[in-house]
């Protein structure tokens, strides 16, 4: 008999580099998030339109596969979910404004930064009554 799995918060990782995407995903999974990984902003936007209710954190690169940038995605994501925590990363200086509440991380960032943000978000969610898996 299978056990029911406790509800887990979801993180959306949007990165066109497969190694970066996998590393970020693993870091977030270690912090007990279910991860949805996309290589383009267009794919991520479809996720947000479909089951975006469960996504509480999004991390995106500025330069992505497809026609949309990570900055454009940040605006779209905030439109769908104003309370979504958004982190935008780039190895180049950011020339555009981000939507209110979004953070910018210059590359290279430390993996510990991802864990720290994920743990803070998980703690915030547990105080709101979300259960973490054991």
């Amino acid at each position: 008999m299978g056990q029911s799995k406790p509800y887990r918060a979801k993180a959306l990782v949007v990165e066109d580099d497969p190694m970066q995407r996998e590393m970020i995903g693993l870091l977030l999974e270690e912090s007990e998030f279910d991860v949805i990984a996309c290589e383009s902003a267009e794919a991520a936007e479809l996720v947000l339109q479909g089951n975006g209710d469960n996504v509480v954190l999004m991390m995106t690169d500025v330069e992505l596969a497809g026609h949309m940038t990570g900055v454009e995605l940040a605006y779209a994501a905030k439109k769908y979910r104003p309370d979504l925590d958004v982190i935008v990363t780039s190895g180049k200086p950011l020339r555009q404004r981000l939507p209110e509440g979004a953070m910018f991380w210059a590359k290279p960032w430390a993996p510990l930064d991802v864990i720290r943000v994920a743990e803070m978000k998980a703690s915030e969610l547990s105080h709101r009554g979300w259960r973490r898996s054991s």
Side-chain angles (χ1 to χ4, degrees), residues 62 86-94 98 102-107:
V62 170
V86 176
I87 301 167
V88 177
T89 70
S90 181
K92 301 175 185 172
L94 190 63
L98 291 176
M103 294 181 280
F104 175 71
W105 288 2
K107 288 182 179 180

Side-chain angles (χ1 to χ4, degrees), residues 3-43:
Q3 290 183 314
S4 67
K5 199 172 164 183
Y7 176 82
R8 289 176 20 143
K10 291 185 178 163
L12 183 56
V13 176
V14 191
E15 170 64 66
D16 60 344
D17 180 302
M19 289 178 63
Q20 285 271 330
R21 193 169 56 239
E22 184 177 350
M23 181 191 68
I24 296 166
L26 290 171
L27 291 168
L28 291 167
E29 286 171 352
E30 280 295 311
S31 298
E32 299 187 24
F33 280 83
D34 285 337
V35 175
I36 302 168
C38 299
E39 70 175 323
S40 73
E42 291 84 359

Side-chain angles (χ1 to χ4, degrees), residues 51-64:
N51 65 349
D53 294 351
N54 301 339
V55 177
V56 297
L57 175 66
M58 180 179 81
M59 189 165 178
T60 180
D61 193 14
V62 170
E63 294 180 18
L64 299 166

